[in-house]
Amino acid sequence: MYSMGCPSAWWALLVLLLSGIPGVHLAKCPKQCLCDQIQLTVSCVNKNLTEVPPTIDEITVKLDLRGNEIQTLPTGAFKHTPYLTHLTLQRCNVRTVKEGAFRSLGRLVFLNLANNNIEILYQESFDGLTSLKQLLIDRNRVEEIQPGAFSQLGFLNLLSLTHNQLVYIPNMAFQGLQNIKWLRLTHNSLNYLATEAFAGLFTLTRLSLDHNELQFFPTETMTRLPEVTRLDLGYNPMTYLGEETVSMAKVTHLFMDHMSLQDLANTAVSLSPNLVHLDLSHNQLRVLQPFSAGSLKLARLNLAGNPIYCNCYLRPLREWALRGKVKLLGACGGPAHFSGESLEAIHPSELRCQSQEAMLKAEFEEQMRVTPPPTPEPDNKVKCPANCACEGDTHHSSCENRGHTKVPRGFSPDTRLLDLRGNDFHYIPGNSFPGVAEVVSLHLQRCKIVEMEDGAFNGMKGLVYLYLSENELTSLSPSAFKGLPQLTYLHLEKNRFTTFPKGAFKLLPGLLALHLEHNSISKLEPDILIGAEKLRGLYLTSNSINSVAPRALDQASDLDTLHLGGNKLNEVPTDALGKTLTLGELRLSGNPIRWVGPQAFQPLARVLKDLYLDSMGLEKMSKDSLAGLGPGLRSLYLEGNQLEEVPDLNSFTSLEVINLADNPLLCDCPLLPLRIWIEKVNLKVRATCAHPPELRGQRVKDVHVFKACPGGENLASSPTLAPTKTSKTPKSTKSKPAHLNAPRQVKVVKTKSKGRKSQTPKPAVTKKTAKRSKMA
């Protein structure tokens, strides 16, 4: 029996034995690195490497490259290590991830890119990572996510993008994440979320959006998240939650702490029936009404850190909490005899109000007790006009709903966010905002504005977001936006425009998104976008547009998104699309278009990715109506029409989403091309027969009538999805460990289908997405 006390002898014997076995030899190891040939790991930490070492052994499973100077990850950077499961690249000063940099890493499950300098996530940055489960991109400089960036990460469970520079999430930004469970977007500068920003995330259960710049609850965006149970929104500058604001069927834990909430409707969470824990701690709430009956499951309400005034106005809430056994966390902020007392310790009968005179006196005494006598204003005190609230640490100033009839003046020059919504300005004279050149976001919604004088915003050189929604504007002067060189997002929806404000954008060289939804614009005349040559998104949903001139959009050569839904067009504006050579998304939903003629979308061949033709009453489409769109089109929405047959879709090889629901399809031989196409593609196609009567309600893919048609003899009896393509195992001259030679299991993901009120259907199985440019 061998002695176990001489490990060096054992090692020498093992080396000797291995050297005698053909095809087996000691693994390669870069000279700067530490290699463990038993655990198959390589560590090259803090070695000042400028590229991925090409001599790393092919069978390496874990690779640690932290603390190097690999500024660019080129295409095929890891082609020599196809068996990696864990890759760490923190603090490598990575700036650029080239297309296909990770393409050979089909077995990788963990990738850490934290603490680098990545600014843009390109469409195919993560191409090839088909098994990845965790992706960490924290503490970079990400300011843009291009659509399709995550399209191949179908097995990803965790995506973390904290501490970056995101200000806006575009539609479909996370498309392809079919198994995502937790999305972390904390510590960014998010100010706006597109309605479909999280569309397709049907498995997401936790979303972290705390420490951002969201000023209102994104109700429409959140309704697209049917499985989220925990939502973190703390440390956002929201001041009010309106009626039925939170509509999330499965959310159980909602965190809205450390915000600026001053009031919320008692029905704010009534459409979230499973809510158990609501955290409203550290806001500015003084009085809170009992929540409506829709919140019967609520068991814990955190009000700590609010200036709750414990008098008769709090009694209904305290009684409601006792009846529903809801635990109230927090303490009274007044009056004096209750100050600091736990809310749970006070019986409702103790919550009384004195006479009005006594109550006012008590409040005055309380204020004098808590607030020290006035002292000379220190130099560093935040400047703030009367009847407004200003915060120095966040650089936010708010005069929301304060009844102002003139724009207040005297804000701190460091103000970044200025909220003036809900006042009665009517008229905005020139130079209304002196001394606030650093304001990034200006809110003037619901201010009854009828007219703006030339140069009203003069001097606001840092303004990026301007919200003029829900006012009474009918026209704009050509010099209305003078002095706004950085303005990027302009909101003019829900005003009273009857004609497009042509010429008003000549002084906005940086304008990317123009919102004019819900006005009464009747037509689009030639050259309406003069001065807006860089425009990427034009939103004209729900106007009264009945014609689009052939040269209407000529100046917007970079236009990527055009929304014309809910208007009065009776034909596709083909001629007007001739110069929109980068248009990726076109929405014509809800227009009374009954016929789509041949070559209707030919100007958009090879560039259009998403086409919405739903809910139009469409009766017929020419067989060449979609000519030219085939290879590049990613989604096609035709639901809610009157189509009995559809054009041949055989050339549509990149489709990820198609919806033909609620059409009276005639399941007979003219529909055979659709039936054959459905069998060939790896997609869930929502198409049912309406005729003949005996087939009504059956799925097109399941009926057998097509077998009797010429060319239908070889149709499968039970159609199935096309076989999944798997990557080939790289060739190697070495013997591989047993676990690497084992056959790889491919998980088949079934997409759940649940009804929801939205014009955007759920994406089905995601394929490789064609590259496109999208508004950041």
Side-chain angles (χ1 to χ4, degrees), residues 325-344:
K325 297 181 180 179
V326 179
K327 186 173 182 61
L328 289 182
L329 302 180
C332 299
H337 63 283
F338 278 145
S339 186
E341 190 78 26
S342 169
L343 298 178
E344 288 270 300

Side-chain angles (χ1 to χ4, degrees), residues 742-759:
R744 186 178 170 204
Q745 294 182 346
V746 179
K747 182 179 180 182
V748 178
V749 179
K750 293 184 179 180
T751 304
K752 296 180 181 178
S753 179
K754 296 183 180 179
R756 60 190 175 96
K757 294 181 181 179
S758 171
Q759 289 188 351

Side-chain angles (χ1 to χ4, degrees), residues 163-418:
H163 296 86
N164 278 285
Q165 298 177 12
L166 295 168
V167 297
Y168 169 76
I169 302 292
N171 288 322
M172 312 301 285
F174 302 100
Q175 188 175 29
L177 301 180
Q178 299 176 11
N179 281 286
I180 191 72
K181 296 294 187 295
W182 188 3
L183 176 58
R184 300 196 305 217
L185 294 167
T186 64
H187 288 281
N188 277 277
S189 300
L190 290 172
N191 180 277
Y192 182 72
L193 306 176
T195 302
E196 302 289 339
F198 301 122
L201 303 185
F202 301 122
T203 59
L204 191 71
T205 58
R206 183 172 179 181
L207 176 61
S208 299
L209 284 165
D210 48 287
H211 294 85
N212 277 287
E213 297 293 328
L214 296 172
Q215 299 153 44
F216 55 88
F217 190 93
T219 303
E220 289 297 317
T221 305
M222 293 303 164
T223 58
R224 271 65 173 174
L225 295 170
E227 299 297 322
V228 165
T229 59
R230 174 169 173 149
L231 176 60
D232 297 276
L233 277 169
Y235 294 90
N236 278 280
M238 297 184 196
T239 58
Y240 176 69
L241 289 183
E243 296 181 357
E244 300 181 344
T245 298
V246 186
S247 177
M248 303 181 73
K250 291 192 176 181
V251 70
T252 59
H253 289 69
L254 175 59
F255 295 84
M256 304 190 74
D257 55 292
H258 294 86
M259 302 205 299
S260 302
L261 289 176
Q262 299 170 13
D263 192 15
L264 67 157
N266 70 326
T267 59
V269 295
S270 61
L271 297 183
S272 299
N274 289 297
L275 189 63
V276 173
H277 179 98
L278 177 59
D279 190 342
L280 297 172
S281 61
H282 300 282
N283 280 285
Q284 299 170 21
L285 299 168
R286 286 178 60 84
V287 177
L288 201 62
Q289 295 299 315
F291 287 105
S292 67
S295 306
L296 291 177
K297 289 189 178 180
L298 196 64
R300 188 180 179 91
L301 176 59
N302 191 349
L303 295 171
N306 283 278
I308 300 294
Y309 205 77
C310 294
N311 60 6
C312 63
Y313 296 112
L314 188 69
R315 186 186 301 165
L317 180 72
R318 187 70 185 96
E319 292 173 342
W320 167 83
L322 286 171
R323 286 195 306 271
K325 297 181 180 179
V326 179
K327 186 173 182 61
L328 289 182
L329 302 180
C332 299
H337 63 283
F338 278 145
S339 186
E341 190 78 26
S342 169
L343 298 178
E344 288 270 300
I346 299 177
H347 194 272
S349 61
E350 299 177 283
L351 296 168
R352 295 187 296 269
C353 287
Q354 302 164 296
S355 66
Q356 185 176 12
E357 182 180 355
M359 188 168 62
L360 289 174
K361 182 180 179 181
E363 288 192 7
F364 176 75
E365 290 176 351
E366 176 70 14
Q367 183 178 7
M368 294 302 293
R369 186 182 69 82
V370 175
T371 307
T375 56
E377 184 178 302
D379 294 338
N380 61 351
K381 184 177 179 180
V382 179
K383 293 176 62 179
C384 196
N387 201 21
C388 295
C390 307
E391 299 179 8
D393 53 345
T394 61
H395 305 293
H396 295 171
S397 297
S398 175
C399 311
E400 181 183 359
N401 298 319
R402 300 295 178 93
H404 291 281
T405 57
K406 294 182 179 179
V407 177
R409 298 196 176 195
F411 294 102
S412 167
D414 294 329
T415 301
R416 300 286 195 279
L417 186 151
L418 182 54

Side-chain angles (χ1 to χ4, degrees), residues 26-57:
L26 292 177
K28 296 180 292 184
C29 184
K31 61 181 180 180
Q32 308 99 319
C33 307
L34 298 174
C35 304
D36 185 334
Q37 284 115 17
I38 304 300
Q39 300 293 328
L40 303 179
T41 63
V42 175
S43 176
C44 312
V45 179
N46 298 324
K47 300 299 182 183
N48 293 318
L49 299 175
T50 57
E51 63 177 359
V52 179
T55 56
I56 296 173
D57 196 278

Side-chain angles (χ1 to χ4, degrees), residues 474-757:
T474 58
S475 62
L476 292 171
S477 161
S479 299
F481 300 118
K482 180 182 178 182
L484 300 178
Q486 301 298 323
L487 193 68
T488 305
Y489 303 98
L490 177 58
H491 289 260
L492 292 165
E493 61 266 33
K494 294 185 179 180
N495 276 276
R496 297 187 178 183
F497 293 102
T498 57
T499 60
F500 193 93
K502 179 180 178 180
F505 313 112
K506 292 181 179 180
L507 301 177
L508 300 178
L511 190 63
L512 291 183
L514 176 58
H515 290 265
L516 278 160
E517 303 99 314
H518 298 280
N519 279 282
S520 301
I521 299 169
S522 60
K523 58 184 177 181
L524 300 183
E525 299 175 326
D527 305 320
I528 58 173
L529 296 176
I530 289 178
E533 283 80 7
K534 293 184 179 180
L535 196 68
R536 302 286 292 277
L538 179 58
Y539 304 90
L540 291 162
T541 303
S542 298
N543 277 274
S544 301
I545 299 169
N546 54 44
S547 65
V548 182
R551 292 175 40 236
L553 308 173
D554 278 12
Q555 284 73 32
S557 57
D558 291 334
L559 197 65
D560 176 77
T561 303
L562 177 59
H563 288 191
L564 288 168
N567 281 284
K568 297 181 178 179
L569 296 171
N570 54 28
E571 63 180 2
V572 177
T574 306
D575 293 339
L577 302 174
K579 294 289 183 68
T580 57
L581 302 181
T582 60
L583 195 66
E585 179 180 317
L586 175 61
R587 295 198 184 208
L588 294 169
S589 316
N591 280 281
I593 299 175
R594 303 290 183 259
W595 154 255
V596 179
Q599 317 293 324
F601 304 99
Q602 188 62 42
L604 306 178
R606 296 185 299 277
V607 297
L608 193 65
K609 301 297 183 294
D610 303 288
L611 177 59
Y612 293 78
L613 299 174
D614 52 291
S615 306
M616 301 195 307
L618 186 59
E619 298 171 358
K620 185 76 174 175
M621 298 180 71
S622 163
K623 66 177 182 178
D624 298 321
S625 58
L626 302 177
L629 298 182
L633 200 67
R634 187 180 65 182
S635 60
L636 175 62
Y637 301 99
L638 285 165
E639 70 271 21
N641 285 301
Q642 297 297 316
L643 294 171
E644 293 189 347
E645 56 185 83
V646 296
D648 187 357
L649 301 175
N650 196 51
S651 62
F652 289 74
T653 55
S654 299
L655 271 184
E656 297 175 9
V657 180
I658 181 168
N659 196 337
L660 295 166
D662 301 320
N663 278 285
L665 296 176
L666 174 60
C667 287
D668 208 341
C669 293
L671 206 65
L672 177 62
L674 175 65
R675 172 64 182 83
I676 294 174
W677 181 80
I678 289 175
E679 185 166 320
K680 292 190 334 186
V681 297
N682 189 14
L683 283 174
K684 181 177 181 179
V685 182
R686 297 178 61 193
T688 55
C689 304
H691 307 287
E694 61 270 19
L695 298 178
R696 181 172 298 157
Q698 295 189 43
R699 295 187 303 176
V700 170
K701 65 176 290 187
D702 292 341
V703 300
H704 304 299
V705 65
F706 299 104
K707 284 190 173 184
C709 300
E713 302 85 357
N714 297 323
L715 284 173
S717 298
S718 179
T720 56
L721 292 175
T724 303
K725 294 182 180 180
T726 55
S727 57
K728 295 181 180 179
T729 303
K731 294 181 180 180
S732 173
T733 58
K734 297 183 181 182
S735 299
K736 306 296 186 296
H739 74 280
L740 296 181
N741 287 323
R744 186 178 170 204
Q745 294 182 346
V746 179
K747 182 179 180 182
V748 178
V749 179
K750 293 184 179 180
T751 304
K752 296 180 181 178
S753 179
K754 296 183 180 179
R756 60 190 175 96
K757 294 181 181 179

